[in-house]
Amino acid sequence: MERKVRLFPYHLLAKVEEVTEVPKGVEMIQAPKVWEKTKGEGMTIAILDTGCDLSHPDLKERVIGGRNFTKDDQGNQEVYRDYNGHGTHVAGTMAAMQNQQGVVGVAPKANLLIIKVLDKNGSGQYEWIINGINYAIEQKVDIISMSLGGPEDVPELHKAIQKAVEQNILVVCAAGNEGDGRDTTNEFDYPGSYNEVISVGAIGLDRNISDFTNSNNEVDLVAPGEAILSTYLNGKYATLSGTSMATPHVSGALALIKVLANQSFERELTVPELYAQLIKRTVPLGHSPKLEGNGLVYLTAMDYLTKVFNTDLKAGVLKI
């Protein structure tokens, strides 16, 4: 029997023909305030998903290549077109270009490697995912982003992820959408529950925990995952909800963080060091760590804390 992995269930709220805006989730994590320093230039994010609308005006200049590991298009590896919409949506949140139309992604100058591991129905085999991870490793990407999963802990999948991390590749995964809104129950999906990955839960634009987001002790942080506007099929746009939508906010944020950190330290940081840089850029929201991990990714958190520190120091109210 073939072992299956799938898209996490998500909600399509609306489709629209045209928009011109910075999505609220991108603003919420403070990405535009970092763009004066970097927009993710030189970073490559591998998206393991349903493919991509390669002709979308917001994405076509960001995609540098890809490969198809599914049976769509007779299994032609060179055709990684998206027939589902999910992969195109997460791609836009990560890196939709800043072109005065449509939407803008978190890292609008990052490169995207499209690795199609889920078919038009949003379903795939674990073998496809593993092959996709190995391909991303071969291509020496900076970040692997996966908004997919299943309930089965597959050792071969875990080994592939460990291999990626050993090659200094950050792996970001959705926590899953089987949650019940309570931290007293645990919901585990894989690969999101592996310790080596950065597991992303979802919050609404009101900063409240999403009812559907999985809770467990492997959740690292949260990002906006409700009513997220991004690119969609046929050059259009759509609003979707799910931890799938939260994950690309973090993948895009890591592209920005890696550029800033490498410039600051004047060397290539390791995965543990980059993870520390990410967690420094979170703010707690007051929910259980099983639901929010370290809190909301907030790219200007360090600047804010420095400002508060200096203000308190000048006012003579700083207590140590």
PDB file of all heavy atoms in Angstrom, residues 1 5 31 67 90-91 96 104 233 245 291 301 304 308 315:
ATOM      1  N   MET A   1       0.836  -1.199   0.000  1.00  0.00           N
ATOM      2  CA  MET A   1       0.000   0.000   0.000  1.00  0.00           C
ATOM      3  C   MET A   1       0.874   1.252   0.000  1.00  0.00           C
ATOM      4  O   MET A   1       1.818   1.343   0.782  1.00  0.00           O
ATOM      5  CB  MET A   1      -0.918   0.007   1.227  1.00  0.00           C
ATOM      6  CG  MET A   1      -1.925   1.145   1.226  1.00  0.00           C
ATOM      7  SD  MET A   1      -3.066   1.064   2.640  1.00  0.00           S
ATOM      8  CE  MET A   1      -1.969   1.525   3.979  1.00  0.00           C
ATOM      9  N   VAL A   5       0.945  11.387   1.664  1.00  0.00           N
ATOM     10  CA  VAL A   5       1.048  12.647   2.381  1.00  0.00           C
ATOM     11  C   VAL A   5       0.129  13.621   1.655  1.00  0.00           C
ATOM     12  O   VAL A   5      -0.205  13.411   0.488  1.00  0.00           O
ATOM     13  CB  VAL A   5       2.516  13.153   2.405  1.00  0.00           C
ATOM     14  CG1 VAL A   5       2.972  13.570   1.029  1.00  0.00           C
ATOM     15  CG2 VAL A   5       2.711  14.278   3.405  1.00  0.00           C
ATOM     16  N   ALA A  31       7.715  42.922   7.813  1.00  0.00           N
ATOM     17  CA  ALA A  31       8.639  42.741   6.691  1.00  0.00           C
ATOM     18  C   ALA A  31       8.964  44.045   5.957  1.00  0.00           C
ATOM     19  O   ALA A  31      10.139  44.292   5.641  1.00  0.00           O
ATOM     20  CB  ALA A  31       8.078  41.704   5.719  1.00  0.00           C
ATOM     21  N   ARG A  67      11.282  21.112 -10.443  1.00  0.00           N
ATOM     22  CA  ARG A  67      11.174  19.729 -10.894  1.00  0.00           C
ATOM     23  C   ARG A  67       9.855  19.131 -10.399  1.00  0.00           C
ATOM     24  O   ARG A  67       9.373  19.480  -9.317  1.00  0.00           O
ATOM     25  CB  ARG A  67      12.350  18.905 -10.381  1.00  0.00           C
ATOM     26  CG  ARG A  67      12.314  17.449 -10.838  1.00  0.00           C
ATOM     27  CD  ARG A  67      13.673  16.807 -10.818  1.00  0.00           C
ATOM     28  NE  ARG A  67      14.589  17.427 -11.778  1.00  0.00           N
ATOM     29  CZ  ARG A  67      15.800  16.944 -12.054  1.00  0.00           C
ATOM     30  NH1 ARG A  67      16.242  15.855 -11.444  1.00  0.00           N
ATOM     31  NH2 ARG A  67      16.581  17.547 -12.932  1.00  0.00           N
ATOM     32  N   VAL A  90       1.273  29.906  -1.540  1.00  0.00           N
ATOM     33  CA  VAL A  90       2.381  30.018  -0.590  1.00  0.00           C
ATOM     34  C   VAL A  90       3.583  30.706  -1.230  1.00  0.00           C
ATOM     35  O   VAL A  90       4.320  31.448  -0.559  1.00  0.00           O
ATOM     36  CB  VAL A  90       2.765  28.645   0.005  1.00  0.00           C
ATOM     37  CG1 VAL A  90       1.597  28.031   0.747  1.00  0.00           C
ATOM     38  CG2 VAL A  90       3.282  27.680  -1.034  1.00  0.00           C
ATOM     39  N   ALA A  91       3.778  30.506  -2.538  1.00  0.00           N
ATOM     40  CA  ALA A  91       4.892  31.168  -3.228  1.00  0.00           C
ATOM     41  C   ALA A  91       4.753  32.683  -3.170  1.00  0.00           C
ATOM     42  O   ALA A  91       5.733  33.408  -2.958  1.00  0.00           O
ATOM     43  CB  ALA A  91       4.954  30.698  -4.681  1.00  0.00           C
ATOM     44  N   ALA A  96       6.420  37.133  -3.680  1.00  0.00           N
ATOM     45  CA  ALA A  96       5.816  37.902  -4.765  1.00  0.00           C
ATOM     46  C   ALA A  96       6.590  39.207  -4.930  1.00  0.00           C
ATOM     47  O   ALA A  96       6.900  39.888  -3.953  1.00  0.00           O
ATOM     48  CB  ALA A  96       4.347  38.200  -4.462  1.00  0.00           C
ATOM     49  N   VAL A 104       2.668  41.728  -2.559  1.00  0.00           N
ATOM     50  CA  VAL A 104       4.116  41.692  -2.317  1.00  0.00           C
ATOM     51  C   VAL A 104       4.383  40.626  -1.267  1.00  0.00           C
ATOM     52  O   VAL A 104       3.670  40.527  -0.268  1.00  0.00           O
ATOM     53  CB  VAL A 104       4.644  43.051  -1.815  1.00  0.00           C
ATOM     54  CG1 VAL A 104       6.166  43.017  -1.687  1.00  0.00           C
ATOM     55  CG2 VAL A 104       4.213  44.165  -2.731  1.00  0.00           C
ATOM     56  N   LEU A 233      -4.085  30.810  -9.067  1.00  0.00           N
ATOM     57  CA  LEU A 233      -4.009  30.319 -10.436  1.00  0.00           C
ATOM     58  C   LEU A 233      -4.486  31.339 -11.466  1.00  0.00           C
ATOM     59  O   LEU A 233      -5.293  32.218 -11.155  1.00  0.00           O
ATOM     60  CB  LEU A 233      -4.841  29.039 -10.570  1.00  0.00           C
ATOM     61  CG  LEU A 233      -4.407  27.853  -9.709  1.00  0.00           C
ATOM     62  CD1 LEU A 233      -5.349  26.673  -9.946  1.00  0.00           C
ATOM     63  CD2 LEU A 233      -2.968  27.464  -9.981  1.00  0.00           C
ATOM     64  N   MET A 245      -0.660  28.657   5.263  1.00  0.00           N
ATOM     65  CA  MET A 245      -0.503  30.071   4.930  1.00  0.00           C
ATOM     66  C   MET A 245       0.436  30.772   5.911  1.00  0.00           C
ATOM     67  O   MET A 245       1.078  31.771   5.581  1.00  0.00           O
ATOM     68  CB  MET A 245      -1.872  30.783   4.951  1.00  0.00           C
ATOM     69  CG  MET A 245      -2.798  30.492   3.777  1.00  0.00           C
ATOM     70  SD  MET A 245      -3.325  28.788   3.561  1.00  0.00           S
ATOM     71  CE  MET A 245      -2.348  28.346   2.110  1.00  0.00           C
ATOM     72  N   LEU A 291       0.830  26.151  21.905  1.00  0.00           N
ATOM     73  CA  LEU A 291       0.079  26.739  20.810  1.00  0.00           C
ATOM     74  C   LEU A 291       0.892  27.760  20.024  1.00  0.00           C
ATOM     75  O   LEU A 291       0.799  27.826  18.805  1.00  0.00           O
ATOM     76  CB  LEU A 291      -1.201  27.407  21.346  1.00  0.00           C
ATOM     77  CG  LEU A 291      -2.311  26.468  21.817  1.00  0.00           C
ATOM     78  CD1 LEU A 291      -3.324  27.227  22.654  1.00  0.00           C
ATOM     79  CD2 LEU A 291      -2.993  25.805  20.632  1.00  0.00           C
ATOM     80  N   ALA A 301      11.646  43.085  16.146  1.00  0.00           N
ATOM     81  CA  ALA A 301      11.611  42.915  17.605  1.00  0.00           C
ATOM     82  C   ALA A 301      12.884  43.410  18.264  1.00  0.00           C
ATOM     83  O   ALA A 301      12.848  44.075  19.304  1.00  0.00           O
ATOM     84  CB  ALA A 301      11.371  41.446  17.955  1.00  0.00           C
ATOM     85  N   TYR A 304      13.015  47.172  18.350  1.00  0.00           N
ATOM     86  CA  TYR A 304      12.056  47.681  19.334  1.00  0.00           C
ATOM     87  C   TYR A 304      12.621  47.565  20.745  1.00  0.00           C
ATOM     88  O   TYR A 304      12.565  48.510  21.533  1.00  0.00           O
ATOM     89  CB  TYR A 304      10.741  46.916  19.221  1.00  0.00           C
ATOM     90  CG  TYR A 304       9.737  47.280  20.304  1.00  0.00           C
ATOM     91  CD1 TYR A 304       9.047  48.485  20.257  1.00  0.00           C
ATOM     92  CD2 TYR A 304       9.517  46.424  21.382  1.00  0.00           C
ATOM     93  CE1 TYR A 304       8.144  48.827  21.256  1.00  0.00           C
ATOM     94  CE2 TYR A 304       8.618  46.756  22.386  1.00  0.00           C
ATOM     95  CZ  TYR A 304       7.935  47.956  22.312  1.00  0.00           C
ATOM     96  OH  TYR A 304       7.053  48.293  23.303  1.00  0.00           O
ATOM     97  N   VAL A 308      13.463  50.558  23.465  1.00  0.00           N
ATOM     98  CA  VAL A 308      12.911  50.587  24.820  1.00  0.00           C
ATOM     99  C   VAL A 308      14.032  50.640  25.845  1.00  0.00           C
ATOM    100  O   VAL A 308      13.981  51.410  26.819  1.00  0.00           O
ATOM    101  CB  VAL A 308      12.013  49.357  25.063  1.00  0.00           C
ATOM    102  CG1 VAL A 308      11.631  49.243  26.536  1.00  0.00           C
ATOM    103  CG2 VAL A 308      10.767  49.434  24.200  1.00  0.00           C
ATOM    104  N   ALA A 315      15.978  57.633  30.843  1.00  0.00           N
ATOM    105  CA  ALA A 315      15.025  58.121  31.846  1.00  0.00           C
ATOM    106  C   ALA A 315      15.412  57.712  33.265  1.00  0.00           C
ATOM    107  O   ALA A 315      14.801  58.150  34.233  1.00  0.00           O
ATOM    108  CB  ALA A 315      13.632  57.583  31.515  1.00  0.00           C
TER     109      ALA A 315
END
